[in-house]
Amino acid sequence: MNDAPLELPEVGWMGSARLTAGLDRHQRLDLAAHARTHQPLRQLDREELLALADAVALPGRGGAGFPFARKARAALAAADRTGAPPVIVVNGAEGEPASAKDKMLLTRVPHLVLDGACLAAAAFGAEEIVIAVTAGSPGEISVPAALAERELPCQARTLCLPERFVSGESGALIRGVNGLPVVPSPLKSRASDGGTGGVRRRPTLLSNAETWAQLAVAARLGPDAHAAVGTAAEGGTVLLTVNQPNGDPLVVEVPAGIRLGLVLDACGLRPGAGVLVGGYHGAWLPPTDAVDVPLSRAGLADRGGTLGAGAIVALPDGTCPLGEIAQVAAWLAAESAGQCGPCKRGLPAAAEALALLAAGAAEPSALEDARSALGAAQGGGACSHPDGTARFALTALDVFAEDVDAHLAGPGCGRPVRGVLPLPRANGARLEVDWSRCAGHGLCAVLAPDLVRLGPHGYPTSTAMPVASWQEHGARRAVSQCPALAIRLRHRG
C-alpha cells in the first residue's frame, strides 16, 4: 500500500464489537489481520443469501433504510428477465460532513465491506463490483490496496467521485459510474431494474458500505447469533458518528435500540440545547426527548426523528442555535444540483430567511416565510435532498422555538455562533453586494433570480450569497450588467 499515512477515524464500541472487531489491536486490518480477527466466510448460494437477508431483516444503512432483500430480489428479477448479469455497487461516497462511518469502514476494515460485496457477487453471478469513494478520501488509497490483496469473484474497481453532498445520492452515483455528471437523475428510475437507472443499463444492486459490512457479519454469525443484540424488530448493531465540539468525530458501534442518552454519556457529552440525529437530512430532538429515545428506526420515528446515516450532534448551550442552523442551510442550498424547483428556488429562499432570522434583522413575517419555503421544498424534488434539508430546518425551528422568538423580538439570543455543526472548509464562490454603490435598480434579481431576492425597498436582502456551480452563469451576468457596478463575484478555496 502507499506509504503515505492514512487519516484513520477514531473508533469506539459499546457492548459487542462486530464491525469494529480487531480495532483495539490494529489501526487497519489488512487481509492477514482480517483473517485472524474474523472466522472464515462460508459461501452462500442465491437462495441462501436471500434467506439470510430476510431472516436478519437487514435494512440499508445509507439513510433510506430500504430492505436489502427486497432490493436484491428486484435486481435478480431484472437479471432473469433480461439475461444481463447484475452489477454490485458499494456506496462509500460520504459527502455528509457530520458522518465518518463509511470512511472508517473503508479505511480501517475494508475487507469486511468487500466480504459482503463479494459474497453477493458470487451468489448472484455479478458481472462487476464497483466501490465508489470520495476523491481525496482515505478510501481512495485503502480500497485499491485491499482489492489487490484478495481473490475476487469477478472484476472489481474503485471509482472516485467529487466531494459533494449529492454525490452519494444513488442516482447521482450511478451516473458517475456511467461517466456522466455526478448529479441526481432528472427522471426517477430504480438501479435494480437496469435500463437508464443502472450501471451500463445492467440490473444494479447498490447499497451503502455499512450495509455490505453488516451482510458479512450476518453471514458469519447466522440469524440467531446476529439477533443476540439489538431489539426484536431490529437486531444487530448500528454504526454512529458522534461529533465532538472542537474535536474529531468518533465512530461508535452500539446495539440497535440503545438509549441515546447512554451513548452521549459514554462519549462525554450532554444533550445541551438539542440533539441532531440522522445528520443534515435528519431531525432535531429536544434534550428531554433525546435522553430516552431508543436508537432504532422505529424508536426514532415515534419521536419524529430518523436514524438516517447515523450522524449525531449535541448542540452545546453556549452557541447560537439559529446561527448554526442558518450556516448549514446555506451550505445545503449551495450543495444542491439545481435541477428542480425546490432546489433552485425553495432551498435558497429558506436559507436566506433563516440567515435573516439568525442576524436578528428579520421582518415579522420571516418565520412564516422560512416555513413556507421549506414546506414547498418537500415532496417535489428530483431526489431526497429538498425533503431532507426541510426536515433538518423545520425540526430545528420547533426545537429552538424560544431562540426563534428571541431573534424575532430583538437583536438575537446574544450567543456567538461557534461553528459546532461541522462543515467543509469554505470554498467555491460568493456573490457580494457593495452597499456604497448599490442604487436598488433590481436588475441583479432578474438576471440571477436563484441567487438574489429583493426586499420591500428594491435592494438585495443579503450582502453575501454562496454561489453553487449551477448558479455561476447567472452570477456572472449580474456582475457584468449591474449599472452601478455594485456586485462582485469572489472565489475562495
Side-chain angles (χ1 to χ4, degrees):
M1 195 173 72
N2 190 310
D3 291 334
L6 292 178
E7 180 186 347
L8 300 173
E10 187 180 355
V11 173
W13 51 90
M14 299 179 67
S16 178
R18 294 179 171 182
L19 300 173
T20 55
L23 294 181
D24 56 338
R25 303 183 303 277
H26 304 279
Q27 285 293 300
R28 176 183 181 273
L29 272 64
D30 60 12
L31 187 59
H34 175 76
R36 292 193 299 269
T37 302
H38 298 280
Q39 66 189 60
L41 185 63
R42 182 175 69 88
Q43 294 303 307
L44 304 177
D45 64 24
R46 170 172 168 162
E47 294 308 318
E48 287 174 328
L49 188 54
L50 290 172
L52 172 69
D54 279 330
V56 300
L58 178 63
R61 299 300 177 95
F66 195 82
F68 176 84
R70 285 176 56 190
K71 192 184 294 187
R73 283 193 170 89
L76 291 171
D80 292 342
R81 185 175 63 252
T82 62
V87 175
I88 302 294
V89 177
V90 177
N91 185 353
E94 196 169 38
E96 161 72 79
S99 181
K101 68 183 182 72
D102 294 332
K103 179 195 296 184
M104 186 282 290
L105 288 169
L106 293 173
T107 306
R108 301 194 65 175
V109 289
H111 286 288
L112 200 58
V113 179
L114 295 178
D115 278 350
C118 290
L119 190 69
F124 301 154
E127 178 179 81
E128 183 185 23
I129 300 170
V130 180
I131 305 97
V133 301
T134 302
S137 71
E140 188 175 355
I141 298 172
S142 177
V143 173
L147 287 173
E149 288 184 298
R150 60 187 294 150
E151 294 184 6
L152 299 164
C154 59
Q155 64 178 359
R157 62 188 170 106
T158 307
L159 175 73
C160 297
L161 297 178
E163 186 180 6
R164 293 199 60 207
F165 194 73
V166 297
S167 292
E169 193 273 336
S170 59
L173 192 154
I174 295 294
R175 284 171 58 85
V177 177
N178 287 332
L180 299 171
V182 186
V183 295
S185 174
L187 300 176
K188 301 282 187 180
S189 56
R190 296 193 306 179
S192 56
D193 292 339
T196 57
V199 174
R200 297 188 304 279
R201 304 184 68 87
R202 301 289 198 273
T204 300
L205 179 53
L206 182 152
S207 283
N208 170 265
E210 185 190 345
T211 310
W212 293 113
Q214 292 281 8
L215 181 65
V217 167
R220 285 185 166 92
L221 293 175
D224 293 339
H226 182 271
V229 301
T231 69
E234 299 179 42
T237 63
V238 174
L239 275 185
L240 306 172
T241 305
V242 180
N243 289 268
Q244 306 172 101
N246 304 315
D248 293 330
L250 174 65
V251 179
V252 187
E253 184 177 14
V254 302
I258 191 173
R259 303 289 171 178
L260 175 55
L262 294 176
V263 177
L264 294 177
D265 284 344
C267 297
L269 299 174
R270 299 177 61 83
V275 182
L276 175 66
V277 182
Y280 295 161
H281 277 180
W284 287 92
L285 299 175
T288 50
D289 287 352
V291 171
D292 293 326
V293 69
L295 285 170
S296 65
R297 296 183 186 278
L300 284 163
D302 287 344
R303 306 288 181 90
T306 176
L307 184 60
I312 295 173
V313 185
L315 198 68
D317 291 314
T319 189
C320 172
L322 276 185
E324 299 276 354
I325 302 306
Q327 287 186 348
V328 175
W331 180 80
L332 287 169
E335 281 291 295
S336 82
Q339 296 187 119
C340 59
C343 278
K344 293 181 70 172
R345 299 295 175 88
L347 297 189
E352 183 173 330
L354 290 168
L356 290 172
L357 275 172
E363 298 290 331
S365 62
L367 177 59
E368 187 55 39
D369 291 344
R371 288 189 178 276
S372 177
L374 291 165
Q378 292 179 301
C383 68
S384 62
H385 186 57
D387 295 271
T389 302
R391 178 168 51 238
F392 166 84
L394 287 171
T395 55
L397 292 175
D398 291 336
V399 169
F400 304 116
E402 291 185 6
D403 294 275
V404 172
D405 291 341
H407 281 257
L408 283 172
C413 64
R415 286 168 285 181
V417 182
R418 301 189 182 279
V420 174
L421 295 181
L423 287 173
R425 185 176 66 86
N427 53 30
R430 291 177 74 86
L431 196 64
E432 298 180 349
V433 179
D434 182 349
W435 289 123
S436 66
R437 290 177 176 270
C438 182
H441 293 96
L443 182 60
C444 53
V446 176
L447 297 173
D450 302 324
L451 273 171
V452 183
R453 275 158 292 281
L454 303 179
H457 303 295
Y459 289 87
T461 57
S462 178
T463 58
M465 294 148 271
V467 179
S469 57
W470 55 271
Q471 295 173 317
E472 281 215 21
H473 177 69
R476 293 185 184 282
R477 290 182 65 200
V479 170
S480 64
Q481 298 185 41
C482 174
L485 302 179
I487 305 179
R488 67 189 68 182
L489 187 64
R490 287 191 179 274
H491 287 271
R492 300 170 299 171

